[in-house]
Amino acid sequence: MACVKYSMKKGVIDEFHCFIDPGTIPCGFRYRCQVSSDSTHKIPLSNFELASSNYSELLQQFFAFLKPVRSNGFLPLYCKLAECFRVNWCLNWLACKSGGSSIPVNVFELEELIVKLYEHKLKERPSKASVERMLNVMVWDYATNTRCKWHDQHDVVYCALATTKKYTYCISDSLASVYEFEITTAHIPKRELTYGTVLNPKVLVLDHHYQQAKPTENLTRRYFHSHSEATVSSIASGKNCVLASNSMDYPIAAQFGRGRGALAAWLNFPSRPPPGLQQ
């Protein structure tokens, strides 16, 4: 379990990390849990010396970590949309194990937060797809001072602390030019100060407009820009080349041909229909 405090001005301010003993695994689930562990974080399911079963103390430490950012009685947390349900469930499980019934924490979508930060400054919304790609970069997987000590010693990339820190690195790298704050080692690891997503904010906004303007057309229109482009009668044969006044006059599939003569060979056989056309 991991959580970090972050601000665009100061970078990563503080971090919280702990290993939680899962207790007795329900009958029939041990194999599934073992497969999940082997393919991700590699944490032993039992007899792990770093894991704590004092759930009440862990929860108190977590609340003490979040206390300075308390707002209206609720503690705001941000994670990726795909993990919101799992994070909520795990926090409530921890609260039940410590003797409570629920936990006063609100888990919000990190992607939406980044979108609103862009919109607040640029007055335009970037596409969610661009934000998701930004958060999924692997450039900082092996950055120094990112993973917890145990995962770093065992050279395991899947670490909860590393995941949360990498999100802050992505935010720093993409929003520095928008909010004009200085990048320090608290924002991005020292060795990676010149690396990262290096995304132009205008590209995110344009991508959002492109996603909204995508036409919903039939299968044939997915491969051709106009009705005349769906014909292959104007394609010359015999010289292993395509004679055209404009490269966009032919199927998109043809423009990405690979191999000597492969494109011309495909075009010279009208009996073989182009992709997307039904016989």
Side-chain angles (χ1 to χ4, degrees), residues 158-180:
Y158 291 92
C159 172
L161 183 60
T163 300
T164 54
K165 282 188 175 182
K166 286 188 291 185
Y167 292 158
T168 66
Y169 300 162
C170 293
I171 294 173
S172 299
D173 187 46
S174 60
L175 291 176
S177 61
V178 179
Y179 283 86
E180 300 179 348

Side-chain angles (χ1 to χ4, degrees), residues 140 173 183-196:
W140 294 294
D173 187 46
I183 294 292
T184 66
T185 54
H187 293 85
I188 298 177
K190 186 176 180 180
R191 292 184 180 180
E192 285 73 30
L193 285 177
T194 57
Y195 299 95

Side-chain angles (χ1 to χ4, degrees), residues 1 3 7 9 11 13 37 69 95 116 134 186 193 209 235 242:
M1 175 181 176
C3 183
S7 74
K9 182 178 181 180
I13 302 172
S37 175
V69 295
K116 289 183 177 180
M134 179 188 73
L193 285 177
H209 291 310
I235 301 176
V242 179

Side-chain angles (χ1 to χ4, degrees), residues 232-243 264 267-270:
V232 297
S233 59
S234 62
I235 301 176
S237 62
K239 294 184 180 180
N240 293 333
C241 64
V242 179
L243 302 178
L267 294 173
N268 289 335
F269 288 95

Side-chain angles (χ1 to χ4, degrees), residues 2 4 10-11 17 26 29-30 33 39 60 74 80 109-110 129 142 154 157 175 199 201 205 210 230 233 242 263 274:
V4 297
K10 298 180 180 180
H17 178 263
F29 285 89
R30 187 173 186 86
C33 294
S39 61
Q60 290 177 4
F74 291 95
K80 291 183 66 176
E109 179 187 347
L110 179 60
Y142 295 94
H154 292 79
V157 177
L175 291 176
L199 291 176
V205 174
Y210 169 74
S233 59
V242 179
L263 177 59

Side-chain angles (χ1 to χ4, degrees), residues 7-278:
S7 74
M8 287 187 289
K9 182 178 181 180
K10 298 180 180 180
V12 177
I13 302 172
D14 198 2
E15 61 187 53
F16 173 86
H17 178 263
C18 65
F19 291 100
I20 304 175
D21 190 337
T24 303
I25 299 176
C27 181
F29 285 89
R30 187 173 186 86
Y31 172 76
R32 183 176 297 180
C33 294
Q34 188 65 58
V35 170
S36 176
S37 175
D38 292 342
S39 61
T40 53
H41 49 71
K42 313 289 185 184
I43 300 175
L45 299 182
S46 57
N47 301 323
F48 184 41
E49 63 277 6
L50 298 180
S52 173
S53 58
N54 191 341
Y55 306 117
S56 179
E57 181 180 354
L58 290 176
L59 198 60
Q60 290 177 4
Q61 293 176 355
F62 185 54
F63 283 156
F65 172 78
L66 295 177
K67 189 174 182 180
V69 295
R70 181 181 294 273
S71 176
N72 298 326
F74 291 95
L75 307 178
L77 295 176
Y78 293 90
C79 67
K80 291 183 66 176
L81 177 61
E83 300 295 331
C84 282
F85 175 81
R86 180 179 298 180
V87 170
N88 262 317
W89 189 94
C90 290
L91 288 175
N92 287 321
W93 176 88
L94 185 60
C96 292
K97 284 290 186 178
S98 62
S101 57
S102 61
I103 186 169
V105 171
N106 285 337
V107 180
F108 298 99
E109 179 187 347
L110 179 60
E111 294 94 331
E112 183 63 23
L113 171 65
I114 297 175
V115 167
K116 289 183 177 180
L117 287 173
Y118 271 106
E119 186 179 19
H120 175 72
K121 200 71 173 180
L122 302 179
K123 310 305 178 184
E124 291 278 359
R125 289 178 63 90
S127 68
K128 282 287 187 70
S130 298
V131 175
E132 291 173 359
R133 289 195 299 269
M134 179 188 73
L135 295 174
N136 289 333
V137 295
M138 298 180 291
V139 67
W140 294 294
D141 280 357
Y142 295 94
T144 57
N145 196 30
T146 298
R147 294 175 289 183
C148 71
K149 185 177 179 180
W150 189 87
H151 281 108
D152 198 29
Q153 290 176 346
H154 292 79
D155 197 24
V156 179
V157 177
Y158 291 92
C159 172
L161 183 60
T163 300
T164 54
K165 282 188 175 182
K166 286 188 291 185
Y167 292 158
T168 66
Y169 300 162
C170 293
I171 294 173
S172 299
D173 187 46
S174 60
L175 291 176
S177 61
V178 179
Y179 283 86
E180 300 179 348
F181 58 86
E182 182 182 358
I183 294 292
T184 66
T185 54
H187 293 85
I188 298 177
K190 186 176 180 180
R191 292 184 180 180
E192 285 73 30
L193 285 177
T194 57
Y195 299 95
T197 52
V198 194
L199 291 176
N200 187 332
K202 293 182 179 180
V203 174
L204 297 178
V205 174
L206 289 174
D207 185 75
H208 174 63
H209 291 310
Y210 169 74
Q211 296 289 343
Q212 288 186 333
K214 273 186 176 179
T216 55
E217 300 174 337
N218 56 35
L219 192 58
T220 302
R221 295 284 294 175
R222 288 171 54 193
Y223 290 92
F224 296 95
H225 294 274
S226 66
H227 179 72
S228 62
E229 294 171 8
T231 65
V232 297
S233 59
S234 62
I235 301 176
S237 62
K239 294 184 180 180
N240 293 333
C241 64
V242 179
L243 302 178
S245 58
N246 188 350
S247 62
M248 297 304 292
D249 289 339
Y250 298 99
I252 293 177
Q255 296 174 28
F256 293 92
R258 291 293 184 270
R260 181 182 298 176
L263 177 59
W266 176 76
L267 294 173
N268 289 335
F269 288 95
S271 60
R272 182 180 179 182
L277 293 181
Q278 299 181 356

